[in-house]
């Protein structure tokens, strides 16, 4: 999960309340320099990314993620992206694009859809 610290805390609490699947291990990163090493140490089932963090070129990071592993589902949660930027992010292959403020129930449903896609792809 790549987002500002306050958002990481809120999303971590959100993951704890999910009613589907097993417990989730949340590996937070509040800066891209933390995210890439985490990705190279082990494959996450899902990435939740806020491309509007300070000091972050979200599209560039998304492209780096795609080079490392193009099959990892990415959910982009953002509040201030332009239509042009949204199109670029979608072209880079995100699973979902969610505007802020996001509804916890809707996010839970998206994650439930994204994670079985990972399990199905790994078993194929």
């Amino acid at each position: 999960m790549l987002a500002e610290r306050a958002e990481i805390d809120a999303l971590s609490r959100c993951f704890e309340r999910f009613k589907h699947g097993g417990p989730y291990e949340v590996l937070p990163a509040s800066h891209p320099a933390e995210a890439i090493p985490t990705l190279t140490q082990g494959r996450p089932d899902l990435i939740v990314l806020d491309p509007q963090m300070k000091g972050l070129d979200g599209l560039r990071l998304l492209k780096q993620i795609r080079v490392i592993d193009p099959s990892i589902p990415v959910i982009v949660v953002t509040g201030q992206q332009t239509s042009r930027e949204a199109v670029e992010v979608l072209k880079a292959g995100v699973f979902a694009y969610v505007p802020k403020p996001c509804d916890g129930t809707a996010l839970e449903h998206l994650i439930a859809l994204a994670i079985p896609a990972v399990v199905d792809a790994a078993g194929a």
Side-chain angles (χ1 to χ4, degrees), residues 94-109:
V94 298
F95 182 83
Y97 182 88
V98 181
K100 288 182 188 175
C102 66
D103 175 89
T105 303
L107 183 60
E108 180 178 356
H109 289 296

Side-chain angles (χ1 to χ4, degrees), residues 64-105:
Q64 287 177 315
I65 291 167
R66 289 292 169 238
V67 168
I68 293 168
D69 188 337
S71 68
I72 299 171
V74 176
I75 296 177
V76 172
V77 180
T78 188
Q80 299 183 19
Q81 210 157 20
T82 67
S83 296
R84 185 179 143 282
E85 290 167 331
V87 168
E88 289 298 316
V89 166
L90 291 169
K91 282 183 183 178
V94 298
F95 182 83
Y97 182 88
V98 181
K100 288 182 188 175
C102 66
D103 175 89
T105 303

Side-chain angles (χ1 to χ4, degrees), residues 19-49:
K19 307 277 190 270
H20 67 274
Y24 292 95
E25 179 183 5
V26 176
L27 303 172
S30 57
H31 190 275
E34 297 173 2
I36 297 301
T38 300
L39 288 173
T40 58
Q41 292 172 6
R43 185 192 185 281
D45 292 328
L46 172 70
I47 295 172
V48 178
L49 170 67

